[in-house]
Amino acid sequence: MTENIDPVAYNRAAWDREVENSNEWTRPAAPDVIAQARAGDWSVVLIGHEPVPRDWFPSALTDADVLCLASGGGQQGPVLSAAGATVTVLDNSPRQLDRDREVATREGLPLRTELGDMRDLSVFPDAGFDVVFNPVSNVFCPELEPVWRESFRVLRPGGILMAGFLNPDIFIFDVPALEEREELIVRHQLPFSSLDLPDDERQRTYGTGPIEYSHSLTGQIGGQLAAGFTLTHFVEAPHHADATARYMPGYFATRAVKP
């Protein structure tokens, strides 16, 4: 029964399974990618396959303290570490963190990993980071207010929060019709969670994948502002693997600063 599901525990196991199934966000950065990053030629993504503009980062990444928030998988964290940053990766999935440690060991990178829920950063002191880098992952988180509040707390004054997230309108569509026939059939009210579906339908539609939650733009952007951030940049992009890409943006990304 859905009322007995612990979303943190469920999604931890689900993302561990995604690693075993070689989900594209669980495949570690290749040696040539790390070598290029060491040479100053690097990029990372917040949304889909869109590289983050370099001017979103501090002008000098060397020795910047970066928290890759819910960003395991051996991709962004190792690249930023190879580019010179002091990187910590926090993720809810032990197997995703294994990917980061795999690359760090292979490449001799001084990467720190922490297992945890993105809503609880109590393992970190106040004002310990210059950047919080949060690619699309809060879709797996039941609530956003503590994510933005904790991100604000752990950043130094002038620190940067970069966040990628899904357009909530994606969730109004019937998933089987969208994925199997590329038909956009409006079915769900917002806010939506895959937990709203009957158990048998959720299993048919999402299989063993993680629980997903839509979040309003009020929760995403308004939540950052309410936490104290100043928004500096906003971009959108089509979903890289979804039929909605022909009609609407599927992803949003924000850059915000702690005053």
Side-chain angles (χ1 to χ4, degrees), residues 56-68 84-87 126-133 151-162 229 255-258:
W56 282 31
F57 286 90
S59 56
L61 191 58
T62 302
D63 297 328
D65 291 303
V66 176
L67 172 61
C68 287
T86 301
V87 176
D126 295 354
F129 295 98
D130 301 297
V131 175
V132 171
F133 187 86
S151 294
F152 189 88
R153 180 185 65 80
V154 302
L155 279 170
R156 298 177 178 121
I160 300 164
L161 168 67
M162 287 178 256
F229 286 103
R255 180 187 186 273
V257 173
K258 177 177 180 177

Side-chain angles (χ1 to χ4, degrees), residues 116-244:
D117 181 345
M118 65 190 301
R119 295 171 293 176
D120 179 7
L121 305 183
S122 57
V123 68
F124 305 124
D126 295 354
F129 295 98
D130 301 297
V131 175
V132 171
F133 187 86
N134 176 220
V136 178
S137 59
N138 68 36
V139 64
F140 309 114
C141 184
E143 55 184 339
L144 297 184
E145 182 181 356
V147 177
W148 307 137
R149 184 178 63 244
E150 281 288 87
S151 294
F152 189 88
R153 180 185 65 80
V154 302
L155 279 170
R156 298 177 178 121
I160 300 164
L161 168 67
M162 287 178 256
F165 46 92
L166 283 175
N167 180 345
D169 292 349
I170 293 291
F171 288 94
I172 69 175
F173 300 113
D174 181 77
V175 173
L178 184 66
E179 294 186 348
E180 296 168 14
R181 302 186 299 277
E182 296 192 350
E183 295 178 359
L184 277 64
I185 297 176
V186 175
R187 179 184 175 195
H188 304 296
Q189 291 184 326
L190 300 180
F192 170 81
S193 167
S194 53
L195 285 177
D196 296 339
L197 300 173
D199 286 353
D200 59 344
E201 182 179 355
R202 179 169 54 82
Q203 291 295 330
R204 288 196 308 271
T205 302
Y206 289 88
T208 62
I211 297 164
E212 297 185 16
Y213 302 86
S214 77
H215 294 295
S216 69
L217 296 186
T218 298
Q220 298 281 15
I221 298 173
Q224 294 180 41
L225 297 174
F229 286 103
T230 298
L231 192 69
T232 64
H233 296 75
F234 176 86
V235 297
E236 60 187 28
H239 196 294
H240 72 291
D242 195 301
T244 60

Side-chain angles (χ1 to χ4, degrees), residues 16 30 32 42 45 48 50 70 108 129 205 218 235 252:
D16 282 354
D32 64 313
W42 59 271
V45 298
E50 299 289 325
F129 295 98
T205 302
T218 298
V235 297
F252 299 130

